[in-house]
Structure formats: C-alpha cells, structure tokens
Amino acid sequence: MLKKHSQFFKSLNFIFDIAIITFLWLFSYYFRFYLLPMQPTENIPPIREYIIFIVPIILIWGIVFNVFGLYRPRRLTSRVSEIYDIAKASSVSILFLIAVSFFLKRYDFSRVILVSFWISSIVMLSLERGLFREYLRFMRKRGYNLRYALVVGTGNLAQDIMKKIDLHPELGIKIAGFLKDKKEATADNKLQSKIIGNYTDINNLIREKNIDQVFIAIPLKEGEKLLEVLKSLEDEMIEIRVVPDLYQLAALQGGVEEFEGMFLINLQGSPLYGWNRVLKRGADIVFSLIAILLTSPLMLVIVAVTKLTSKGPVFYRQARMGLDGREFQMLKFRSMRIDAEKETGPVWAKENDPRRTRFGSFLRRTSLDELPQFFSVLKGDMSIVGPRPERPVFIEEFRRKIPKYMLRHKMKAGITGWAQVNGWRGNTSLEKRIEYDLFYIKNWSLFFDLKIMWLTIWKGLISKNAY
C-alpha cells in the first residue's frame, strides 16, 4: 500500500510539472509576441510551430528531471537543494531543446521565448514543488503518507537519529524500533522500551513491521557488525542509510564527496569554495570601496588630529593571523603612545589603559581606529565580515587552552563578526567568542554577512568593551 502511495505522489508530481511546463511554453510565446511586440503583427510566427514542440519538451523535461532524481522521494532533502537540482535540470533541458530545434533546422525559436521559458520554469517549478512539499508535510503531521524505519544500534548515534526525526514530524518517518547487538548488555537509556530485537532479527522484522527504510547507526569500533548487517540486507527492497560514526569528529562543513567511485567523508573544511569565494570577495571589494569613499573625509580629519595631538606615525601596523594561519599586517589608526609595549611586552588592552593617547582613547571607544582596515579588505588580507584576527603571540596560548580555537582561521579575518555584534569583543569570554565564530563559519552565506553588516551599523560602533 505504501509503495502504491509513493507511485501515486510521484505520478501526481509529474503531472503537475508537465502542466506547468506546457503552460509556460505557450505563455512565453504570448509574452514575446503580444505583450512585448518587437515586430509587425504580420511577421508573428504561427503558434502551431510552438504547439508541435510541446511533445518533445515533455519528453526532454521528463527524462532529464528523472535523471536528476527529481521524482524520487526527497523526505530528507532540503528545499534549497531541491531548488538547485531544479535549476540544473531545467538548464540542461533547455540546452537539449535548443539542440533539437537546431538539428531539425525547420524551427528557429525566439531567444526571448527560450530565455523567459527557462527562467520562468525554474521559478514556477520550484514554487510548485515547494507547495507540494508543504501539502505533504501537512498530511504527514496528521499521520498520512508515513514511512516506517528501523534503527540498527542503540548508542549516542542512534539516539541522535531519534531526536532529529522526532523534531521533524513533517518528514513522515516513524521509527518502528531499535535493534541491538545480541552481546550488548541491557542499557538503561531512553531507547530501552523501543528495542524490539537484535541485529540478527532484522530480516524478519522488516517483513513483520512493513519497514520502508533502515538507519544503520553502529559505532566505529563495531565495524565487523556493520558489514554483517549490510550483508544481510543485500536482498531487501528497502532504502538503507548508514550514519557514519565519523561525523562525531566533524568540526566544520562535514559532508560526503565522491571521487572515482570512492566516497570520502569530509571532517572539516571551509565553506568558501567555488562561487561562494567569488561572491564573498566581490561583496568585500564593493562594500570596502563604498566605505572608503564615504569615510575618506573623516579619515583625513583623524589623520590631522592624530598628527596634532601626539608624536609619531598616524598609522599602526601589527602582525595578525588570518586565513589558514597565514600572518598579515593589519592597519589601524595609532591610538597608543610610541613603544607602548616596550616595558610590558605584548599584553591585551584594558579599561583606562594608560598607554592610550587622549585622542586614541576616543578612537578605540568609537571603533574609528579600525577604519584603515577597509584597505586591508581591498588588498585581500581581510574580509568585512569574519572572525576578528588575533596576534600570533597570543594564539599559541589560546590554542592550548581552548578546544577548536584554530578552526576560526578557516575563514578570512573580518573587521566585524557574529561574535562582535552579539557583544563578545574586547575583554570578554574567549570561549563564547569562539562559539559564535564557529557558528558563523558553519552557517555562512552572503545574506548572513549582510545581516552582520546591518547589525554592526544598527547597534552602533561604540562598545563598552572597546578599550
């Protein structure tokens, strides 16, 4: 019965897709020749040439969408991932359509129609899939269209699976029970009442409980048991998902890649690769140029006042650690006396620090001493948003005391950051600062950067912890 329901929803999805694609193809014709007329009415090609191509379009889109897995159950797939797959499938489909029309030679479709059809198909199909998904989530929350799962394992990994599935009833996955190793002692935990058998009972339980999928959460130390369970599932027509125990070691951007048929598990990495790197660098260049242009009169005033009120250079360069542990020279307006650390050595600034100049105290309190860092951003040493860079002399101590401290260097250092807009700057908890920095790196997006920039301006640059 569950398989029939799955096929029904798959067919329904396909019918909706075809209906939308057909409508958009005809609407693109109407849009080009009637809403945006660019040629005399008598030169408008007959619509029958476009109607004839509906059948090839249905075949192309149907086959390509199927190849991209857009008609498989996607309960555990994010909405963003589905939109990305729709965009890729639609782009491939439009290229096939152009190729077919080129080889037939008889048909020379308007480029405006092809572009509008391509863009509108991505938008409308994504919207349709989103609405369809919301409908299914609504039904699943009420107990319809459920899938039943077994979890092999009873450790922390298995408990994590239970918690995550319980948090998302809209997925429509109900755990029928947990399986434990026969030699495993009876555990006094939350799973005790849900354990329905041993690993060796899995084949019988799949049939008895009408199981659709199995989550294997066997600890890394029981590798032989994992192979035995997988061997017993070879002939079962169900979905099998292995939750690698290695994920407990993942620090940043954990994930799975395929290399020449071999699956590689990433335990840590940077979110900035490919287009993400281009987007962030592009935003840094644009916003730093705007900031320099807007603040250049103010910076000239600061230069003049600094020269008039204290001896020494206007700017101060200091070694800081940036992306991947590389050192760079960070530029600031000088706010302290010359040779401020001659007697004390490298130390953190403190409240009412006697080393500051009178004007320097104002600069630090208002964060105006940071303005020259926009030139560091333009140069590429820093980013506008990112973890605040620290001096190498302090980092050696921090990395010994604070777990995962060095992971903050998987992102380019920033003028402002998630920790700073939440109040963790200056002489505050390093542990909390690292927590916020790592959260930023794990959840990075261009929109997140824009949010932090806005919060930096909205909350003001003055901080009680800026000494």
Side-chain angles (χ1 to χ4, degrees), residues 18 21 25 50 53-62 97 117:
I18 296 308
I21 289 167
W25 177 247
Y50 288 82
F53 244 75
I54 288 176
V55 173
I57 286 172
I58 290 173
L59 289 173
I60 291 170
W61 258 255
L97 178 61
F117 176 56

Side-chain angles (χ1 to χ4, degrees), residues 247-316:
Y247 273 128
Q248 66 181 326
L249 304 176
L252 289 175
Q253 301 299 316
V256 179
E257 285 184 273
E258 185 182 354
F259 172 69
E260 294 292 330
M262 179 185 296
F263 290 101
L264 308 176
I265 299 176
N266 294 326
L267 295 183
Q268 73 185 40
S270 171
L272 293 185
Y273 58 88
W275 284 107
N276 284 348
R277 181 179 293 230
V278 174
L279 284 172
K280 187 164 177 67
R281 182 61 185 142
D284 281 341
I285 291 171
V286 170
F287 286 112
S288 60
L289 281 172
I290 292 172
I292 289 169
L293 288 172
L294 291 177
T295 62
S296 54
L298 177 59
M299 284 196 277
L300 289 173
V301 171
I302 293 172
V303 168
V305 175
T306 302
K307 270 293 184 187
L308 291 170
T309 56
S310 65
K311 295 180 180 180
V314 172
F315 297 104
Y316 176 67

Side-chain angles (χ1 to χ4, degrees), residues 336 349-353 356 364 426-427 464-467:
M336 293 194 176
K350 57 186 178 180
E351 191 173 3
N352 299 319
D353 199 317
R356 296 174 303 178
R364 293 179 73 88
N427 193 16
K464 64 180 180 180
N465 297 316
Y467 306 141

Side-chain angles (χ1 to χ4, degrees), residues 387-415:
R388 286 293 294 162
E390 194 47 80
R391 299 171 67 177
V393 66
F394 295 138
I395 287 173
E396 287 304 315
E397 178 186 352
F398 297 156
R399 72 189 301 177
R400 289 194 301 269
K401 292 182 178 179
I402 305 171
K404 300 182 180 180
Y405 179 85
M406 295 303 291
L407 292 181
R408 68 200 301 270
H409 299 107
K410 298 302 293 184
M411 182 73 82
K412 195 176 287 187
I415 296 176

Side-chain angles (χ1 to χ4, degrees), residues 88-317:
K88 288 192 295 183
S90 295
S91 301
V92 171
S93 298
I94 203 76
L95 291 174
F96 272 115
L97 178 61
I98 293 169
V100 170
S101 64
F102 173 78
F103 282 113
L104 291 178
K105 296 189 184 294
R106 240 185 94 188
Y107 302 94
D108 185 19
F109 297 128
S110 163
R111 282 170 293 193
V112 174
I113 287 179
L114 291 172
V115 171
S116 62
F117 176 56
W118 170 54
I119 295 173
S120 62
S121 67
I122 294 173
V123 173
M124 294 305 293
L125 288 172
S126 298
L127 182 60
E128 173 251 317
R129 290 301 186 98
L131 292 172
F132 192 75
R133 186 184 275 230
E134 287 305 315
Y135 167 74
L136 288 178
R137 288 183 174 189
F138 175 80
M139 297 298 289
R140 288 164 184 163
K141 281 183 177 180
R142 279 149 185 79
Y144 298 99
N145 189 231
L146 296 179
R147 295 290 180 271
Y148 293 90
L150 277 179
V151 179
V152 181
T154 58
N156 293 331
L157 212 56
Q159 293 184 55
D160 285 343
I161 292 172
M162 180 178 68
K163 289 174 186 174
K164 285 176 169 51
I165 289 178
D166 286 346
L167 281 172
H168 297 281
E170 72 277 5
L171 297 175
I173 298 175
K174 187 172 182 180
I175 297 178
F178 293 78
L179 304 182
K180 69 179 185 71
D181 183 13
K182 188 180 290 185
K183 297 178 181 178
E184 184 181 346
T186 303
D188 182 20
N189 57 37
K190 296 177 182 178
L191 299 186
Q192 185 56 50
S193 61
K194 299 180 181 180
I195 296 174
I196 59 174
N198 301 319
Y199 295 171
T200 52
D201 303 323
I202 189 166
N203 299 93
N204 292 331
L205 288 169
I206 286 172
R207 284 178 280 278
E208 288 176 16
K209 303 289 185 180
N210 200 19
I211 298 299
D212 301 282
Q213 48 191 281
V214 170
F215 291 91
I216 301 177
I218 296 177
L220 190 62
K221 61 184 179 181
E222 297 180 19
E224 291 183 5
K225 297 291 183 181
L226 171 62
L227 294 176
E228 289 176 12
V229 171
L230 289 174
K231 184 74 176 173
S232 67
L233 293 173
E234 283 181 349
D235 297 324
E236 298 291 348
M237 303 299 292
I238 57 170
E239 293 182 20
I240 303 170
R241 292 187 168 92
V242 177
V243 185
D245 196 21
L246 282 173
Y247 273 128
Q248 66 181 326
L249 304 176
L252 289 175
Q253 301 299 316
V256 179
E257 285 184 273
E258 185 182 354
F259 172 69
E260 294 292 330
M262 179 185 296
F263 290 101
L264 308 176
I265 299 176
N266 294 326
L267 295 183
Q268 73 185 40
S270 171
L272 293 185
Y273 58 88
W275 284 107
N276 284 348
R277 181 179 293 230
V278 174
L279 284 172
K280 187 164 177 67
R281 182 61 185 142
D284 281 341
I285 291 171
V286 170
F287 286 112
S288 60
L289 281 172
I290 292 172
I292 289 169
L293 288 172
L294 291 177
T295 62
S296 54
L298 177 59
M299 284 196 277
L300 289 173
V301 171
I302 293 172
V303 168
V305 175
T306 302
K307 270 293 184 187
L308 291 170
T309 56
S310 65
K311 295 180 180 180
V314 172
F315 297 104
Y316 176 67
R317 295 179 183 274

